[in-house]
Amino acid sequence: MINVTQTFLPPIAEYVKQIQRAWDNQWLTNRGELVLELEEKLKKYLDIPNIIITNNGTVPLQIALKLLGGQGEIITTPFSYVATTASIVWENCIPVFVDIHPEYLTIDETKIEAAITSKTTAILATHVFGNPCHIEAIAAIAKKHSLKVIYDAAHAFGVKYKSQSLFTAGDVSTCSFHATKLFHTGEGGAMFTNDIKLHDQLFYSHNFGHNGPLDFHGLGINGKISELQGAMGLAVFEHLETIMEVRKAAVDFYDRELDFSRLDKMKIREHTTWNYSYYPVVFESEAVLLQAQKALNDDHIFPRRYFYPSLNRIPYAKGTAMPISESIASRILCLPLSASITETDLRRITTVLNANI
Ligand SMILES: *Cc1c(COP(=O)(O)O)cnc(C)c1O
């Protein structure tokens, strides 16, 4: 069976070596040695000024919205994972959808201003499949209308835009280290900001608001990650180069072998160093997608309809029609891509796919 993704598991001896340290320290959570070491390693690897590692990639979205959303209207993309929209509603804010660009698949920055009202407080956009939003245009709009910018950068691990980590964009960026993501800690995530004051607020918000054991800065939640997950992160970290190499080779194979006379692919934004995180293909119609999916499934190959559905269609989001996002969501399939995919797998996938489109 070939699945859409395969969690990267480091050799178990390497994991045991890391986790032994938690036993030696008799310390399992509350930002122990392993998590602190992982933060330092990630800061260097990603070339970013600071990072707060969290228990997943959704809580940092909620924390950012709690601090910056003010229960107002949040301009957001309908083409993302459900966590993006759900966090907005969960934080008592109102999602206001803006349709996406048909090729970049990120929020269409030219349509943002028309959606701004006196209740708008922030923009929450997703770097879809690691493809950057138009961060300069969005920054200019935010400045003009005094809005905050939050990026769901769950897919953007290692992506650089104009030679800078994409995590440095916006007021806050968040990432996910879920087992299905490029870099993972089993469950985990992170948040980033360049603003030192905001960094402090994010930090205490993810630790119950604590200011020392007896005092509190303000409201907080538990967004901490454990040493057990830190151990996984440290073990996976050592393999990042290989993970990227295998993924790049797989992406190159798809690029070479797939029949693009009958398929579209995402256009990567100019000046981007991409991370090979996903391989989405867009079919001519949903009917062709379903036919191709069936043929692949019959051969025990399981791509994923991702993202589906378009989030404006989720009842609690109360969205209006988003023609481009809905059209793309009905026609897009993410092909298998992982650090363990082989050339034989890739040959099988491209052969079956090309014969069924
Ligand atoms: C994975 C993902 C999340 C949620 O991350 P978790 O770590 O699973 O909570 C949020 N947004 C996007 C775009 C994602 O892909």
Side-chain angles (χ1 to χ4, degrees), residues 152-174:
D152 182 340
H155 296 177
F157 187 91
V159 175
K160 298 222 160 175
Y161 177 72
K162 296 192 173 165
S163 311
Q164 269 211 314
S165 168
L166 197 51
F167 291 149
T168 60
D171 292 284
V172 176
S173 284
T174 66

Side-chain angles (χ1 to χ4, degrees), residues 32-308:
E33 179 183 290
L34 279 78
V35 166
L36 294 182
E37 184 177 315
L38 184 59
E39 285 189 343
E40 287 312 308
K41 288 202 154 136
L42 290 178
K43 270 201 296 198
K44 265 204 204 106
Y45 178 83
L46 299 166
D47 192 19
I48 45 170
N50 59 58
I51 177 172
I52 300 165
I53 299 185
T54 54
N55 54 349
N56 59 47
T58 304
V59 163
L61 285 173
Q62 291 177 240
I63 293 174
L65 286 162
K66 182 76 81 186
L67 292 175
L68 306 177
Q71 306 198 352
E73 292 178 0
I74 312 293
I75 291 186
T76 192
T77 176
F79 194 64
S80 183
Y81 183 57
V82 69
T84 317
T85 302
S87 300
I88 294 172
V89 178
W90 195 270
E91 290 304 324
N92 294 313
C93 298
I94 298 159
V96 174
F97 296 102
V98 165
D99 214 344
I100 58 170
H101 188 281
E103 289 175 295
Y104 296 122
L105 310 183
T106 49
I107 195 167
D108 186 341
E109 64 281 353
T110 65
K111 295 179 178 160
I112 290 178
E113 277 199 287
I116 295 174
T117 74
S118 59
K119 296 188 189 126
T120 309
T121 53
I123 299 166
L124 168 52
T126 301
H127 301 305
V128 175
F129 307 128
N131 198 21
C133 297
H134 196 318
I135 59 174
E136 291 111 334
I138 291 172
I141 294 164
K143 188 162 179 224
K144 182 170 161 198
H145 297 272
S146 302
L147 305 176
K148 301 294 184 185
V149 180
I150 304 165
Y151 283 114
D152 182 340
H155 296 177
F157 187 91
V159 175
K160 298 222 160 175
Y161 177 72
K162 296 192 173 165
S163 311
Q164 269 211 314
S165 168
L166 197 51
F167 291 149
T168 60
D171 292 284
V172 176
S173 284
T174 66
C175 191
S176 167
F177 300 159
H178 183 259
T180 54
K181 303 297 206 276
L182 183 64
F183 169 76
H184 79 91
T185 57
E187 288 273 4
M191 45 191 179
F192 313 86
T193 179
N194 304 323
D195 176 334
I196 296 189
K197 239 178 92 184
L198 186 52
H199 175 82
D200 287 344
Q201 285 181 311
L202 292 170
F203 185 87
Y204 74 66
S205 297
H206 102 300
N207 186 24
F208 301 107
H210 269 294
N211 178 25
L214 302 177
D215 189 20
F216 296 92
H217 290 282
L219 182 65
I221 191 94
N222 184 359
K224 289 177 282 108
I225 191 173
S226 77
E227 291 288 90
L228 308 177
Q229 294 152 302
M232 179 59 87
L234 287 171
V236 173
F237 181 85
E238 296 305 319
H239 297 271
L240 266 174
E241 224 162 283
T242 326
I243 291 172
M244 290 289 191
E245 269 168 26
V246 177
R247 283 175 167 275
K248 180 180 186 312
V251 165
D252 290 345
F253 189 98
Y254 280 137
D255 281 349
R256 226 174 28 242
E257 299 292 330
L258 284 172
D259 180 358
F260 290 105
S261 69
R262 282 170 298 167
L263 285 173
D264 279 334
K265 63 175 175 173
M266 174 175 76
K267 186 172 165 195
I268 306 282
R269 195 173 296 281
E270 302 70 17
H271 312 295
T272 300
T273 312
W274 190 48
N275 62 357
Y276 314 101
S277 48
Y278 295 86
Y279 202 93
V281 286
V282 181
F283 295 83
E284 275 166 17
S285 67
E286 187 169 24
V288 179
L289 177 149
L290 292 171
Q291 162 194 316
Q293 187 184 28
K294 185 176 181 311
L296 289 164
N297 289 172
D298 287 347
D299 206 20
H300 309 286
I301 299 162
F302 295 93
R304 180 172 176 202
R305 297 191 68 174
Y306 191 67
F307 304 111
Y308 182 90

